[in-house]
Amino acid sequence: MSASPSVSGKASEAYDVVVVGAGFAGMYMLHKLRGQGFSARVYEQGDGVGGTWYWNRYPGARCDVESMQYSYSFSDELQQEWDWSERYAPQPEILKYANHVADRFNLRPDIQFNTTVERTDFNESTNLWSVALSDGKTVIAKFVVLATGCLSNARMPEIKGLDSFEGKVYHTGHWPHEAVDFTGQRVGVIGTGSSGIQSVPVIAEQASHLTVFQRTANFSIPARNAVLSEEERQSFRAKYPEVRHFARVESRNGIYTEMPDRGALDDGDNERRSKYEARWNRGGLTFMSVYNNLGLDKTANDTAADFVREKIAEIVEDPETARLLQPTSHPIGTKRICFDTEYFSAFNRPNVTLVDIKSNPIEEITANAVRTGGREYEVDALVLATGFDAMTGSVARIDIRGRNGQALNQKWAEGPRTYLGLMSAGFPNLFVITGPGSPSVLSNMIVSIEQHVDWITDCVSYMRGRGFEAMEAKKDAEDNWVAHVNEVAYATLYPTANSWYMGANVPGKPRIFMPYIGGVGPYRQICNEVAAKGYEGFAMVGTEQPRKMAAS
Ligand code: NA7
């Protein structure tokens, strides 16, 4: 790896760009930077690529965006040659795809695995970052890109006695690489978000008994997963130009689907019901886009929520279990809606019990049981499907020091502050991919990742071409953006839910609606306009003059 002329001579290793993480964001970032002649090095804490799909190996793990869309678009050869086997790809297949991409584009030589970035400091006199690694080395970089993922910091719940449990404890977000077989075991699952909802039906088939500990009932729509035929793949591939264009430019969530043109209350009861029924039967993520106001108007939202609650009551045979499974704590869609395969019907099995830990919180975990409501539920193994310190958790694990030695964790103590979700004032040349303040987790992540990577690459190429040494978000631009992110969020129902979007799942985390809800298409347009105006809202450091960096 040759260091670029602009950063060489400062340390044993120096790069134009250090990228943190080798998930889908880090891999594409590396590919794109190399294509522009930048020297780049990726550090990845795991021993393989894939990011969230490397860690989340729990039973039933599957993407909730259709596989033909949850895939890179930057290479037409890649999207034409890869055969997705199912409508929603299972985790092992997505991980195989990530490995295929790493091999196909020869990314591995520039990725250092089993290495955590522990600390990074900005040097104001040289405008360079020093990056301290878990292997004891420090490398120098002009730019640091945090491709650390939004759902990669698995969160252990604080439950009394958890350490004293003598059986095996698994977190869905940190699942072992070898297969886990629960056959003949009494298993307890704590948590009923997407990970719990996907894993429960699979574990129920193996376990002698499964006890599901539910704090908050969740809305879930049938995924209607199915094998993809060659004809289906071919017809989708043929329309890729249209699909990708729509997802990037026109959509709100990075997904190719119909755009609703009316609100839920514009239809009569029968018409509305038949539309919900059709979406329920179609399955998947488009349920919420049957109408254009489900995320905005509580009365409209109630019509969709009531429909799903009725469905749950129809599926679940025991009325008390059905009642507990019917979500009432939040409007539908304001916590990430789930997609399942036989989740609710799993509770009709004689070997599955639902325990309400909202009314009776877990008192203690003992050596072999979970105690709640004065009763002990004996289990041989515990599955913690308790989620993540989402969006900011993985960034917070790195000690990032910007101007004047300021810690990013300190700056973000009251909640993340960014301009466009891409940069934070006081931290020059430090980019975040799909960070807080960008559409991120409210979108098809790969669409948003590609947009950020392309924008960042254009930006550093622009700086190289003009000889700028550093770039930094201006404070007023950041303040305005944070205000805008809040304004659009609070015009919706989303902030009314105690969701991980709000940081509400982590005790003590500030309650801020973190992603940008303004939509993928409008957000891209804003980013493009900022760039077209010479990176409006960013301060460039250094005199504008053509200078050479690597390969320029
Ligand atoms: P989520 O969606 O954050 O779900 C976590 C679940 O665990 C949720 O039901 C929580 O209840 C529950 N939880 C968390 N902490 C506790 C404690 N201490 N005690 C009991 N129950 C607890 O994480 P997932 O991994 O399922 O999904 C994350 C995203 O991945 C998902 O949205 C998709 O985008 C993919 P709560 O709701 O907080 O009451």
Side-chain angles (χ1 to χ4, degrees):
M1 165 65 58
S2 65
S4 86
S6 61
V7 294
S8 60
K10 305 288 180 190
S12 55
E13 285 177 44
Y15 304 96
D16 291 328
V17 188
V18 156
V19 179
V20 190
F24 282 102
M27 285 199 294
Y28 179 44
M29 191 75 243
L30 172 62
H31 174 67
K32 189 87 188 187
L33 287 166
R34 286 202 317 203
Q36 296 297 312
F38 291 101
S39 63
R41 187 74 168 161
V42 181
Y43 296 102
E44 164 57 53
Q45 60 179 338
D47 69 1
V49 297
T52 198
W53 299 107
Y54 172 92
W55 299 105
N56 283 269
R57 299 170 188 240
Y58 60 85
R62 198 177 283 286
C63 188
D64 57 10
V65 177
E66 294 190 16
S67 50
M68 296 298 292
Q69 299 205 55
Y70 189 84
S71 51
Y72 285 123
S73 69
F74 70 83
S75 159
D76 193 46
E77 294 79 19
L78 176 65
Q79 68 185 6
Q80 295 297 334
E81 79 196 7
W82 181 263
D83 282 338
W84 292 106
S85 66
E86 297 176 42
R87 183 178 174 195
Y88 297 96
Q91 173 273 332
E93 190 169 340
I94 304 174
L95 189 57
K96 200 169 150 201
Y97 173 74
N99 278 284
H100 169 75
V101 170
D103 292 333
R104 195 187 190 291
F105 298 98
N106 191 30
L107 301 178
R108 293 181 205 278
D110 292 326
I111 304 174
Q112 183 174 321
F113 293 102
N114 301 304
T115 307
T116 306
V117 171
E118 295 186 333
R119 179 176 171 131
T120 180
D121 291 78
F122 184 70
N123 182 326
E124 293 186 56
S125 55
T126 60
N127 287 320
L128 298 172
W129 286 92
S130 66
V131 182
L133 308 169
S134 55
D135 66 3
K137 271 198 306 197
T138 297
V139 301
I140 297 293
K142 189 161 194 62
F143 300 97
V144 173
V145 178
L146 302 175
T148 38
C150 293
L151 296 167
S152 45
N153 191 355
R155 201 181 64 81
M156 293 298 279
E158 291 159 22
I159 302 176
K160 186 177 164 200
L162 183 54
D163 289 346
S164 64
F165 184 69
E166 287 176 359
K168 289 254 185 189
V169 177
Y170 305 93
H171 193 293
T172 48
H174 229 281
W175 202 260
H177 286 204
E178 58 281 4
V180 176
D181 184 2
F182 291 115
T183 304
Q185 294 188 33
R186 296 166 302 177
V187 181
V189 171
I190 300 177
T192 50
S194 181
S195 304
I197 282 176
Q198 288 185 334
S199 58
V200 158
V202 184
I203 297 174
E205 285 187 0
Q206 296 175 359
S208 62
H209 197 90
L210 170 61
T211 309
V212 180
F213 297 92
Q214 172 187 274
R215 190 164 70 181
T216 306
N218 234 320
F219 290 100
S220 186
I221 307 297
R224 312 269 181 222
N225 187 37
V227 168
L228 279 176
S229 68
E230 186 51 26
E231 290 70 35
E232 285 171 304
R233 281 195 293 264
Q234 283 305 349
S235 85
F236 210 95
R237 283 182 182 131
K239 62 180 183 189
Y240 256 140
E242 178 193 334
V243 169
R244 301 302 200 187
H245 174 82
F246 182 91
R248 288 186 195 123
V249 177
E250 291 175 46
S251 78
R252 297 197 68 76
N253 59 4
I255 293 172
Y256 177 73
T257 186
E258 307 97 309
M259 294 284 262
D261 59 359
R262 54 202 284 120
L265 308 176
D266 297 334
D267 282 333
D269 288 354
N270 292 342
E271 176 72 6
R272 192 167 52 234
R273 191 171 177 88
S274 76
K275 284 186 182 170
Y276 287 144
E277 195 75 48
R279 290 293 173 116
W280 178 269
N281 291 333
R282 189 205 286 185
L285 206 63
T286 61
F287 185 83
M288 286 301 289
S289 52
V290 63
Y291 290 115
N292 61 15
N293 62 347
L294 296 183
L296 300 172
D297 180 321
K298 179 69 168 58
T299 312
N301 186 287
D302 284 343
T303 64
D306 285 344
F307 174 86
V308 175
R309 283 190 281 262
E310 281 169 31
K311 285 289 181 192
I312 295 170
E314 279 170 27
I315 298 168
V316 180
E317 290 159 6
D318 174 55
E320 177 57 8
T321 306
R323 188 187 65 78
L324 289 173
L325 286 167
Q326 287 172 321
T328 51
S329 72
H330 57 284
I332 186 169
T334 55
K335 280 189 170 198
R336 176 123 173 168
I337 198 164
C338 302
F339 305 97
D340 69 273
T341 301
E342 305 300 334
Y343 173 66
F344 293 116
S345 61
F347 292 91
N348 294 335
R349 297 175 64 110
N351 69 331
V352 178
T353 308
L354 181 70
V355 175
D356 169 22
I357 55 169
K358 175 80 105 196
S359 323
N360 295 303
I362 295 175
E363 292 151 21
E364 185 173 9
I365 293 177
T366 65
N368 66 344
V370 178
R371 192 187 313 135
T372 160
R375 224 194 115 173
E376 294 215 342
Y377 295 86
E378 287 192 5
V379 288
D380 304 308
L382 267 179
V383 173
L384 306 175
T386 45
F388 303 86
D389 184 353
M391 299 202 75
T392 52
S394 298
V395 174
R397 270 152 68 160
I398 308 170
D399 189 359
I400 300 169
R401 304 287 172 140
R403 286 198 192 282
N404 305 315
Q406 187 190 20
L408 188 64
N409 280 334
Q410 186 222 324
K411 179 177 171 187
W412 286 9
E414 301 302 318
R417 299 187 70 79
T418 67
Y419 176 38
L420 300 176
L422 282 158
M423 290 190 121
S424 193
F427 297 82
N429 291 2
L430 179 88
F431 296 98
V432 193
I433 298 181
T434 61
S438 75
S440 184
V441 291
L442 295 175
S443 71
N444 176 352
M445 286 299 277
I446 299 200
V447 172
S448 289
I449 284 169
E450 288 190 329
Q451 186 249 332
H452 270 182
V453 168
D454 292 346
W455 193 93
I456 292 168
T457 309
D458 287 349
C459 176
V460 296
S461 299
Y462 170 93
M463 290 175 66
R464 176 177 66 185
R466 285 165 177 73
F468 288 123
E469 288 298 320
M471 169 185 179
E472 181 178 353
K474 290 182 184 166
K475 186 163 178 317
D476 61 337
E478 179 172 292
D479 290 345
N480 291 339
W481 183 252
V482 170
H484 174 62
V485 169
N486 269 305
E487 189 188 333
V488 290
Y490 280 87
T492 74
L493 299 172
Y494 279 73
T496 62
N498 289 327
S499 65
W500 57 259
Y501 298 140
M502 291 291 289
N505 62 326
V506 179
K509 191 167 174 173
R511 298 214 173 184
I512 304 282
F513 192 79
M514 292 184 285
Y516 176 56
I517 206 169
V520 161
Y523 172 78
R524 174 183 295 266
Q525 199 180 336
I526 294 167
C527 291
N528 288 350
E529 281 167 12
V530 164
K533 290 179 187 161
Y535 295 91
E536 188 178 51
F538 292 97
M540 293 287 175
V541 177
T543 322
E544 182 169 347
Q545 52 180 308
R547 277 181 55 176
K548 278 199 145 195
M549 276 174 60
S552 57

